[in-house]
Amino acid sequence: MLKLVTEKLADKIERLTIELEIAKHKMASCKHEFSKPVPAAREIDDPIFVGYKGYGSDPIPVYKNHTKLESGWERTCGTCGYKEYTNRTKATQVGPDFGG
């Protein structure tokens, strides 16, 4: 008869923590070979000022989080699967610029 062995929760946490550290080390030592950047979007929290709470000389500012979509670029390492995202771009000159 097959006897199932159940792993205690503390042992599972210890095992998974060790596995996570090994995986992080492998990813950090990877010589990333990234794909070409592709357009990507992410949801980000944009705090909006609502008002103040309390009175006196030190009222507490109150903000409401508003989720908005941010456009950017993403690239993925073909070896380990690590993903990079950025919303920054820089101008590149394709041809001569004669200023006209």
Side-chain angles (χ1 to χ4, degrees):
M1 181 177 241
L2 181 63
K3 186 176 183 179
L4 296 176
V5 177
T6 57
E7 185 177 24
K8 294 192 179 192
L9 192 54
D11 294 335
K12 186 175 184 177
I13 290 172
E14 185 177 341
R15 179 181 55 82
L16 290 175
T17 302
I18 292 169
E19 288 180 21
L20 179 61
E21 289 303 316
I22 291 170
K24 282 182 179 180
H25 178 69
K26 285 181 181 178
M27 186 174 282
S29 63
C30 177
K31 294 177 178 26
H32 298 301
E33 295 179 19
F34 288 107
S35 63
K36 291 188 177 188
V38 294
R42 288 198 174 173
E43 287 185 354
I44 59 169
D45 287 333
D46 185 26
I48 298 173
F49 177 72
V50 176
Y52 290 102
K53 180 179 178 182
Y55 300 98
S57 61
D58 291 328
I60 301 169
V62 178
Y63 294 91
K64 176 182 174 186
N65 276 336
H66 171 71
T67 304
K68 70 178 187 178
L69 205 56
E70 175 185 75
S71 297
W73 298 89
E74 185 175 82
R75 63 184 187 170
T76 306
C77 174
T79 307
C80 69
Y82 176 71
K83 292 184 180 186
E84 281 188 337
Y85 171 83
T86 185
N87 63 347
R88 298 178 299 163
T89 59
K90 68 179 176 182
T92 57
Q93 187 172 346
V94 177
D97 182 11
F98 295 106

